[in-house]
Amino acid sequence: MLKKYLKRLLLGSALGLGGLLVLSQPAFAEETVSLEMFTINNTWMLVSAFLVFIMHLGFATLEAGLTRSKNTVNILFKNVMILSIGLLTYALVGFNLMYPGEGSWILGQWFGFAGFGIGTDAAGLTSAYNPGYTYWTDFIFQGMFAATCATIVSGAVAERIKLHSFLVFSTIYVALIYPWLGSWKWGGGWLDGLGFYDFAGSTLVHSVGGWAALACIIILGPRFGKYSQGQSRAIPGHSMPLATIGVFLLWLGWFGFNGGSVLSADPGLVSYVFVTTALAAAAGVVGSMFASEFMLKKPDLSMVLNGSLAGLVGITAGADVVSIPSAIIIGLVAGALVVASVIFIDSKLKIDDPVGATSVHLVCGIWGTLAVGIFSPDHSFLTQLLGVVAYGAVSFVSAFVIFSIVKAVMGVRVTEREEIRGLDIDEHGMEAYAGFQIFSTEG
Amino acid sequence: MLKKYLKRLLLGSALGLGGLLVLSQPAFAEETVSLEMFTINNTWMLVSAFLVFIMHLGFATLEAGLTRSKNTVNILFKNVMILSIGLLTYALVGFNLMYPGEGSWILGQWFGFAGFGIGTDAAGLTSAYNPGYTYWTDFIFQGMFAATCATIVSGAVAERIKLHSFLVFSTIYVALIYPWLGSWKWGGGWLDGLGFYDFAGSTLVHSVGGWAALACIIILGPRFGKYSQGQSRAIPGHSMPLATIGVFLLWLGWFGFNGGSVLSADPGLVSYVFVTTALAAAAGVVGSMFASEFMLKKPDLSMVLNGSLAGLVGITAGADVVSIPSAIIIGLVAGALVVASVIFIDSKLKIDDPVGATSVHLVCGIWGTLAVGIFSPDHSFLTQLLGVVAYGAVSFVSAFVIFSIVKAVMGVRVTEREEIRGLDIDEHGMEAYAGFQIFSTEG
Amino acid sequence: MLKKYLKRLLLGSALGLGGLLVLSQPAFAEETVSLEMFTINNTWMLVSAFLVFIMHLGFATLEAGLTRSKNTVNILFKNVMILSIGLLTYALVGFNLMYPGEGSWILGQWFGFAGFGIGTDAAGLTSAYNPGYTYWTDFIFQGMFAATCATIVSGAVAERIKLHSFLVFSTIYVALIYPWLGSWKWGGGWLDGLGFYDFAGSTLVHSVGGWAALACIIILGPRFGKYSQGQSRAIPGHSMPLATIGVFLLWLGWFGFNGGSVLSADPGLVSYVFVTTALAAAAGVVGSMFASEFMLKKPDLSMVLNGSLAGLVGITAGADVVSIPSAIIIGLVAGALVVASVIFIDSKLKIDDPVGATSVHLVCGIWGTLAVGIFSPDHSFLTQLLGVVAYGAVSFVSAFVIFSIVKAVMGVRVTEREEIRGLDIDEHGMEAYAGFQIFSTEG
């Protein structure tokens, strides 16, 4: 039996060679970590990967809960697909676009690509970015991230987008745009060189997703009946328990999203990031509660749910570099901001975003990125602003162009009849609650 | 890229200084652990922290599932708020009340406070309590615990309490009473000195929460229509799937609640605690099934769900010090006990506890604490009883006094009209299932 | 306080002696791992154990979602019970049947038993199978697995089986048949000696459960109204959100199911297994989407959900020994296969399997096991086929005989009246959504 264990260890070492060999390469010789430390780091990164995985269930339930039951199958379907497409395309091209490695850059660190497919022999040996874990761990952690970006769009375009048009757009965006833009900072591209800071993706993930969401819903237009005679009509979601489950799962996943972005199990940093993340989320809840009582005159559950996400998005850029009081302030502001933003976008701009994705991910993503320049003494506000603008311009324009092409080629919006009946029947031929019976009702 | 890694490692070390410095202090000199072991311990404690976090989603869904849909938004709102308030107040005062440290005790270890706020320079350097993880890990693990205590109250007072009154009461209880009482044992206070044992909180968390729940529901009175002409009327919950999700998530979280209470990743202890925890929960299920078939003449799902929680609460005090057969017996007894207790409190005492929180957390918390005195040869039954009585008296009286003041100042109960219409409409202006449609029904 | 830590460490060592002593035994002397590595391995295995635990919630919600609301309480009840019974019987007999250890085999490695109960002094010291973790960790990880096998049956027999008959059958199957068959390979029995390979249980868990499901539903017959005049009638599930939650949780749990089957935290192997597992699941989704569009002319959500499970079951046998492209192919084929199989079993064979358990677990379990022989150069297709046939014959016959005896003794099927009214009312005296009210509906 022991032989089996040793054989596995050996095989494991061979498979993990990408990571382990790095340790013995000249460049790293003086800072080798022990096999034990390598194993702990790697284990924590895998735990973080499965936590980020959970966020996809969080998005699926949150979006389903905040929309109507006649479109629930459609939303669930999109979320299952996007995760899967995201992982597969990240293996095919995304990973090597995002982490091209030293030799593969062109256009002065604006673009790089290390070739198709993944494998430890590939040119894109990203373990070179740090000695903390294997190539495979790197891929799976980053792959789980990639899919979250496209999922942000899914909620905003809900209840009126054609299924196949959404899938085509998302595939292109997650396969090409997200990783290309990610390379600018995390891949070691031009913005990294300028000192722009985004710890875990307030901008690289959330704003990049949020800008795409904004571009798409501008093109799509509002849901049928949403605005009439200059008035916005509230269209409540069909299940607050589902939405609440979603938010708790997203918060949970964020411990891996931010905690894993330390890129090692470093005890001080990971635990500090846990604390700033949790306190910012809690402060986001409290901030949005007060804002909701003040602006809406009631303690609105959906606002408070979005408030916790706002706090989380807000702290994501600087979770490792701001103080505890700053983390709480960032969360409080994000929580208030998201309430104001949801009201403003809905009532003033008259842009229809069923789940508030642009307010949560785009607005608070910008806030969090700028907050690094405000609260961290080591980072420049102007550089942060430059990053926000650069990412905003390119991601919005890219999404707008791609979605416009999709619109021209195959159309993006279901018919009015389909929209009224619900996408579940016409796009999927099934209902979310077909066998649902309530026998007795109880006062 | 490597430089970044090293910089992070350095920054991490600086941030984690609280924990790491401890290792080099004279007092600990002879028992330093390696950086690798420190990192493993710390990682496991963070995993435990996120597992305890999941319990809050478990409570939210369990309580929502066992009550009526007209109060669901209210319950979800309370659970999101309590977690957030619990974390923030624990950072502000709770942590330093619970772990005041050697120099901050007054009144002969009955009370201690190390000052406001958290930070590694604060007087309340609780990493001194063990060399296994950083200050921040200590805070976040204990902070997740703190909020669970207040959540126990939430379910018992459901469907009739005023939102703001609940929030005021809970804030005071979780910010001041829970950590103060916790300091008696886990902070090194007077009961710790006497040899009282409570591994992970059968008393310190569950009974302290359960006594508060009891005090509150005595003051609140039963729900409208619950008792008429001396008869108790069953008011079934609106979603057994939600309740079941809640119980599974609580069970899951308990692996961190108990497993993390080892305060290190010690392989023998943590794995042993996993086994006693899982078997006691399983035995609780089986015990409650038989009790349900015997007492209610049917296999009642809600009883079986409470049975698993009963087993978990029961094993919590002694998960590390009782044998495997004892763990199973503790679970079986707890499972039967909870069924009898739910029936007794509901039908005989006529105290209305919608989710059975007092039976699960208070009654089985007492049972579990006393069980340590029965099944562990190293602990005294009388000391355990003393702990149960001391905690019971002070937590019940504290909760009773605070909730009475809240009642006098702002009232605690919604109007009858509001209660009948449901709290969601009147307190929150929204419904849990507003857009819920069932198109076809299926025989 | 430090004393407490050291005492715990000591106590921990004592309790974990089973595992730790092994390291100092002569046979292992030359390959001792450091205490740090032992602790990491052990921690990862415990994380894997709680991930596999989550799968039980996944099964519960998936099965509940895919069936009608009148049988939901029954399904939830069965899943809570099976997990509990599985853990308790595994402690009583299962563990020592599955891992009998060198001295306890009879009948030429066809059967072994190391005695009743668990404990480090027991003859069945399974830590001898590898030096990576403690005895207790071994037990809890394997115990969580055991219960999944019986749960597979639960979905297939849903909506018509008598509760107590199911519980009796499952108890026998999980207590005796699953561990006995498991010993053939993982316990070091005759098939292990022949070179049969099943990394994490495509056959040992999923097919063994799937064959039992098939035997039971053949005996039970279809649900009332399922087939009339030679036509199969679709009976849609009552909650696609519940089903989707189930699938995501199962996928999540699979990272522990497969990742933990490495039996250590080996960085290369565990991370590689994460990647093959995730990509096969993603490919299963894509494969089933195309198959669904092709065969059913619509993007069917339940097919896509089963597609991800199909990919996961398919990769389970060879997750550590196939290449990345092979993993994707295995997933794609499994995804297409499950759609074809569901249609074939339902429409052609007219065997009623409400959740598609036989297609997912049995058909794709066979596919995954054979795929090892196809895609891994180190394994023989014929040996894999031999394993499939041997396991298939014995598990199907065992299940058929046991369930037939249960049928003869106590009956297995509820009355037609009960089936039409739903099992919740008649077997449990309660409803899944009793207090469920929808106040306003929203177009």
Side-chain angles (χ1 to χ4, degrees), chain B residues 31 34 40 69 238-241 244 251 261-262 266-269 271 285 289 293 298-299 431 434 436 442-443, chain C residues 2 8-9 12 36 42 53 68 70 76-77 81 84 134 137 164 233 427-428 432-433 435 437-441:
Chain B
E31 30 260 353
S34 67
I40 309 162
S69 60
H238 85 283
S239 174
M240 296 315 291
T244 305
W251 187 337
S261 291
V262 168
D266 181 292
L269 258 180
S271 61
V285 167
M289 188 195 73
E293 300 249 21
K298 61 173 183 173
E431 296 162 22
F436 199 99
E442 190 63 46
Chain C
L2 182 67
R8 284 196 167 172
L9 203 70
E36 281 83 357
N42 191 73
F53 172 84
R68 288 165 294 180
K70 64 184 178 182
L76 299 172
F77 193 92
M81 289 309 303
S84 303
T134 72
T137 300
H164 291 98
R233 186 172 72 92
E427 297 261 305
H428 301 276
Y433 301 99
Q437 283 184 323
I438 304 165
F439 293 81
S440 63
T441 45

Side-chain angles (χ1 to χ4, degrees), chain A residues 245-264:
Chain A
I245 288 173
V247 163
F248 271 99
L249 293 181
L250 283 162
W251 187 337
L252 169 67
W254 234 287
F255 288 120
F257 197 89
N258 284 1
S261 291
V262 169
L263 303 181
S264 79

Side-chain angles (χ1 to χ4, degrees), chain A residues 88, chain C residues 279-280 283-284 287 311 315 322-336 367 371 374-375:
Chain A
L88 291 171
Chain C
L279 292 179
I315 197 63
V322 300
S323 70
I324 298 293
S326 300
I328 294 174
I329 294 169
I330 290 172
L332 280 170
V333 172
W367 159 241
I374 299 169
F375 294 101

Side-chain angles (χ1 to χ4, degrees), chain B residues 152-153 173 203 206-216 358 361-362 366 388-389 391-393 395-397 399-400:
Chain B
I152 292 166
V153 181
Y173 203 74
T203 283
H206 295 282
S207 292
V208 166
W211 284 112
L214 183 64
C216 291
T358 45
H361 299 281
L362 174 53
I366 292 173
V388 165
V389 172
Y391 271 104
S395 53
F396 182 80
V397 170
F400 201 92

Side-chain angles (χ1 to χ4, degrees), chain C residues 196 227 372:
Chain C
F196 174 69
Y227 300 105
V372 173

Side-chain angles (χ1 to χ4, degrees), chain C residues 81-96:
Chain C
M81 289 309 303
I82 275 305
L83 168 63
S84 303
I85 291 171
L87 284 168
L88 291 171
T89 58
Y90 206 69
L92 187 67
V93 294
F95 194 40
N96 288 343

